[in-house]
Amino acid sequence: MQKPADITADKLAALSALERKVLWLASWTIHNANHLRESADGLKVGGHQASSASLATIMTALYFDVLRPQDRVAVKPHASPIFHAIQYLLGKQTQQKLQDFRGYKGAQSYPSRTKDTDDVDFSTGSVGLGVAQTLFSSLVQDYVHAHGWAKDRAEGRMVALVGDAELDEGNIFEALLDGWKQGLRNCWWIIDYNRQSLDAVVREGLWERYEQLFKNFGWDVVIVKYGSLQQAAFKEPGGDKLRAWIDTCPNQLYSALVFAGGAAWRKRLNDEIGDQGDVSKLIAKRNDDELAALMNNLGGHDLPAVLAALKGAHPEKPTCFICYTVKGFGLPMAGHKDNHAGMMTPAQMETFQKAMAVRPGHEWDKFEGLDAPDAMQAFLDKVPFAAGGERRLSAPMIDVPETLPVTIQPTMATQTGFGAILNEISRGDNNFAQRIVTTSPDVTVSTNLGPWVNRRGLFARQAMSDTFKSEHIPSTFNWEFSPKGQHMELGIAEMNLFILLSALGLSHSINGERLLPIGTLYDPFIARGLDALNYACYQDARFMVVATPSGITLAGEGGAHQSIAEPLIGMAQDGLASFEPAFVDELAAIMHWSFGYMQKDGTGEASEKNWLRDETGGAVYLRLSTRPIEQIQRTMTPELRGDIVDGAYWLRKPGPNAQVIVAYSGAIAPEAIAAVGLMAEDRRDIGLLAVTSADRLNAGWSAAQRARERGLVHARSHIERLLGDVPPHCGIVSVGDGHPATLAWLGAVEGHRTRALGVEHFGQTGTLADLYRHYGIDTNAIIAAAQSIAPGKPIRHLKALP
Ligand SMILES: Cc1ncc(C[n+]2csc(CCOP(=O)(O)OP(=O)(O)O)c2C)c(N)n1
Ligand SMILES: [Mg+2]
């Protein structure tokens, strides 16, 4: 392999010193944290000294030489200590945070965009997701540039440092497929091919499968197998034999010999190829240490080999580097198959410390043990990656129009309303409409995005016309791809949807250009991409996910398409404000608010109005339905709009002597309305509460209670205000097309007896009436529940339950 021209001996020496320093600091950080925790609470928290060590060389080469400020990196979860050590050397991480590694407010165990303060680009931890995020971030960068934004910013390369076992995660291959379809560029995946996972040593020859696979998807594949010592040895007489032996040595054996050391290498090599003339001499002329150094000198631990590979890559093509490494390289547990969470013993640590020339008490000194500290600082001061200033960007807020107009039909479904609202937006030639970008995993049309896509087009870097249109074949849809298109078409994989939304939803911070991403899917398939959704929220990405259709209301589609748990997911998912409106005017109010909320980034306190962190902002989830329901003719007042967004309003306010109230959420509204009408003669002052967001109601209630416990005695949440006047003896019947726990907590707010109706078991096919009756959420079931919790004279419309 050719040495890159700009790698001078001086630079190599500096990088090599930094590589040692990085390995030392990372290992010490872990050791120190464990030591502290162990003495404080008896808990050892896992080390991953070995797992991080295998990336020390590659990350040194990247951060101190190859990367540019505009490049973005997803670091393999267990390489977090190496990342933090590098940032420490670059002056972006504090000693205190390293000392508190894995502790309260310390550097995070896995790189975190939101919790770490040292410039993490992408959060990782759930393996596979960070890798795919780099691919989608690259597509988003292309999207931004194709739309004529960020013109003054150089294109960055999206880099993932990938554990080899991480490639077992299917979402990586789902991403590869969509990346190929979209003409992916500027993406590097660097595989830490240490041939070890957590439990296992990987199967032989896996790299060949990967090589083929990546090539099939149009990637360049660069194999970084031999270090420069090995490359030199192969040129010696007998070197070809040594190389052949290395190439056929099973992974398990190689790892075991790395662990066992020089004498074991000698014995094995002599046993297997020691009687073959030249190669025997090649082995014999090295002492045990030299022989171990030679055999351990795999490409991924050899700075010249790594630098040559990275710098020799195609300037634009996506490239996969398969870098041979040894897990725990440079540490005593190197290569041992049990080393995943391995920690050096105190005695081993002492030996390692001596070898690193670090005096006791000077463990955190940046240049301890290095010959020329001043020269080293001068080198660090010129590191290109750190030269561009703040890498976390921002973008101004995009003005949202005063209202989102929509023509409301007398009978309409929320999903139709969503399509109509977007269709109206698509007519506008304003910045707001231009910044919206939609995406959907092959359910664009069936989630009502069709009219929007017809007008705004699909995105592709190369224009492609709609063949049906050019062939004059009539079609409802005009599917034209162009660099100006505003819909990113995805294959069916829901993981890809959420990772793309995550990438789109971080564009303001990564590209300095704000987008308003909207993704649609069927509600039950949220579960398919749930971890990716969780990660998108964990990274604080901003997007709107519109999940429709939902629930058993999808009657004819049966249990495979009907969602039950999603309302609870919506409540429990941090960073995601969830809504389930029943009427289209509610939806318009919620969407209007959401476009603002998605852009907020205040760190302010909770609002005193609803005790929600509205100024902090977040992502939004709308659970919609295909069920057409009769719409209420009314004027949207600011008060009503506020209540809808805060989570609930009285559709019928209970009187002072109310015996029962019905609280409903979503498309089940007609049953709740009908039940209240039928009960009105037999129960006094009955009320009907429309819940538009169980999530926000519940969150505000929790926050107000916490505030009161801290002395803010006047803190009062929206739901407390709504239920405050409801007399104590009044019962609550709650109902929704989802798990009943979603609203069951309402009774705890003011201590009202409550009966929560909902769906607990897998749905099935049937008519709406069949299913609502079967699962006990129809009008009669609501009346029966009211009769049981609000006793009184028999409710005359109540029929016997099935
Ligand atoms: C989705 C997910 N499943 C399981 C884990 C637990 N886990 C963490 S690392 C790891 C093995 C990783 O092996 P590899 O990617 O080869 O990394 P190495 O430590 O060898 O560098 C596993 C199973 C996880 N973090 N995320
Ligand atoms: Mg591995």
Side-chain angles (χ1 to χ4, degrees), residues 70-361:
Q70 63 271 24
D71 297 333
R72 303 283 172 179
V73 191
V75 175
K76 177 188 88 167
H78 289 137
S80 153
I82 295 277
F83 173 79
H84 294 309
I86 288 172
Q87 298 299 329
Y88 178 62
L89 289 169
L90 289 172
K92 295 191 175 162
Q93 178 59 291
T94 64
Q95 180 180 328
Q96 190 61 49
K97 294 232 182 238
L98 292 187
Q99 283 173 340
D100 294 340
F101 176 63
R102 284 177 170 260
Y104 187 57
K105 306 267 184 204
Q108 299 295 294
S109 18
Y110 307 119
S112 169
R113 234 188 113 72
T114 47
K115 306 283 179 212
D116 276 316
T117 51
D118 54 348
D119 203 20
V120 170
D121 289 325
F122 304 114
S123 300
T124 60
S126 181
V127 296
L129 297 179
V131 184
Q133 179 101 15
T134 58
L135 182 150
F136 286 106
S137 289
S138 182
L139 299 184
V140 171
Q141 176 175 261
D142 279 346
Y143 181 93
V144 165
H145 282 265
H147 283 76
W149 299 316
K151 277 216 158 29
D152 52 344
R153 273 185 53 74
E155 283 180 349
R157 193 172 267 134
M158 305 295 164
V159 181
L161 296 161
V162 190
D164 46 359
E166 202 166 358
L167 286 169
D168 288 337
E169 290 290 359
N171 83 274
I172 292 182
F173 301 96
E174 295 175 359
L176 267 183
L177 204 58
D178 263 310
W180 172 76
K181 290 184 209 160
Q182 307 271 353
L184 175 70
R185 310 181 303 144
N186 295 320
C187 188
W188 279 2
W189 287 358
I190 303 175
I191 300 175
D192 177 4
Y193 196 54
N194 60 25
R195 287 150 294 152
Q196 279 183 262
S197 61
L198 199 159
D199 292 338
V201 175
V202 308
R203 293 284 183 281
E204 300 306 324
L206 195 59
W207 66 273
E208 288 165 300
R209 324 289 131 205
Y210 290 147
E211 186 184 24
Q212 276 318 313
L213 204 136
F214 278 93
K215 283 187 171 162
N216 281 343
F217 284 112
W219 289 53
D220 272 354
V221 177
V222 178
I223 296 176
V224 189
K225 181 162 183 184
Y226 315 106
S228 46
L229 289 180
Q230 290 187 350
Q231 290 172 43
F234 297 157
K235 292 193 187 124
E236 292 177 30
D240 52 338
K241 296 258 169 37
L242 181 70
R243 182 185 178 138
W245 186 88
I246 290 176
D247 285 351
T248 50
C249 179
N251 289 338
Q252 287 253 19
L253 178 61
Y254 212 95
S255 294
L257 290 171
V258 167
F259 179 73
W265 278 116
R266 184 178 310 284
K267 177 163 182 347
R268 193 74 188 202
L269 288 168
N270 281 336
D271 284 352
E272 298 200 359
I273 50 172
D275 55 349
Q276 298 183 18
D278 287 341
V279 72
S280 314
K281 283 190 210 129
L282 188 157
I283 297 164
K285 79 179 192 199
R286 288 165 168 87
N287 68 27
D288 281 356
D289 286 349
E290 287 166 346
L291 188 60
L294 173 66
M295 298 307 288
N296 294 355
N297 178 237
L298 297 178
H301 295 302
D302 189 79
L303 277 169
V306 169
L307 289 165
L310 298 176
K311 287 172 182 253
H314 186 282
E316 204 179 82
K317 251 176 120 179
T319 305
C320 170
F321 301 88
I322 301 179
C323 298
Y324 277 70
T325 55
V326 173
K327 194 154 168 171
F329 186 78
L331 308 179
M333 73 283 244
H336 197 292
K337 71 181 171 61
D338 300 343
N339 70 11
H340 180 75
M343 288 284 301
M344 283 184 263
T345 62
Q348 286 175 325
M349 196 67 203
E350 226 181 287
T351 313
F352 181 59
Q353 181 160 358
K354 281 206 186 100
M356 289 280 156
V358 175
R359 290 165 296 163

Side-chain angles (χ1 to χ4, degrees), residues 295-557:
M295 298 307 288
N296 294 355
N297 178 237
L298 297 178
H301 295 302
D302 189 79
L303 277 169
V306 169
L307 289 165
L310 298 176
K311 287 172 182 253
H314 186 282
E316 204 179 82
K317 251 176 120 179
T319 305
C320 170
F321 301 88
I322 301 179
C323 298
Y324 277 70
T325 55
V326 173
K327 194 154 168 171
F329 186 78
L331 308 179
M333 73 283 244
H336 197 292
K337 71 181 171 61
D338 300 343
N339 70 11
H340 180 75
M343 288 284 301
M344 283 184 263
T345 62
Q348 286 175 325
M349 196 67 203
E350 226 181 287
T351 313
F352 181 59
Q353 181 160 358
K354 281 206 186 100
M356 289 280 156
V358 175
R359 290 165 296 163
H362 293 264
E363 288 85 356
W364 298 110
D365 294 1
K366 282 189 186 171
F367 304 121
E368 174 71 0
L370 300 187
D371 294 339
D374 290 347
M376 193 52 73
Q377 187 58 57
F379 182 88
L380 287 174
D381 291 342
K382 291 206 189 86
V383 163
F385 178 71
E390 183 58 56
R391 293 176 66 255
R392 197 161 281 206
L393 308 175
S394 60
M397 301 256 294
I398 290 151
D399 288 339
V400 181
E402 202 100 309
T403 54
L404 297 181
V406 55
T407 307
I408 298 177
Q409 311 294 339
T411 300
M412 202 170 184
T414 45
Q415 175 174 319
T416 321
F418 166 70
I421 291 168
L422 267 192
N423 190 27
E424 279 301 325
I425 297 174
S426 76
R427 293 173 203 271
D429 185 24
N430 50 36
N431 192 34
F432 169 65
Q434 276 156 14
R435 293 284 171 159
I436 289 178
V437 48
T438 56
T439 181
S440 183
D442 206 26
V443 289
T444 303
V445 172
S446 48
T447 55
N448 274 39
L449 271 180
W452 160 268
V453 178
N454 263 343
R455 221 177 272 274
R456 310 298 291 203
L458 294 104
F459 171 72
R461 279 196 301 115
Q462 315 287 340
M464 268 184 293
S465 64
D466 184 335
T467 308
F468 276 72
K469 189 176 167 199
S470 47
E471 295 295 320
H472 306 294
I473 301 172
S475 160
T476 326
F477 299 106
N478 169 19
W479 246 223
E480 280 188 333
F481 289 83
S482 83
K484 293 277 166 275
Q486 285 182 251
H487 177 74
M488 293 180 82
E489 187 176 65
L490 284 175
I492 305 174
E494 283 76 13
M495 275 282 182
N496 282 346
L497 170 75
F498 288 114
I499 304 173
L500 175 58
L501 285 176
S502 179
L504 289 165
L506 289 174
S507 178
H508 53 284
S509 180
I510 288 184
N511 301 307
E513 292 292 337
R514 193 180 293 281
L515 299 173
L516 296 171
I518 303 176
T520 67
L521 82 168
Y522 297 170
D523 197 51
F525 303 129
I526 282 185
R528 183 64 167 261
L530 192 52
D531 199 21
L533 170 62
N534 182 44
Y535 255 66
C537 293
Y538 181 51
Q539 318 213 58
D540 202 22
R542 302 307 179 84
F543 53 87
M544 180 186 290
V545 59
V546 179
T548 181
S550 59
I552 59 167
T553 302
L554 196 52
E557 292 282 313

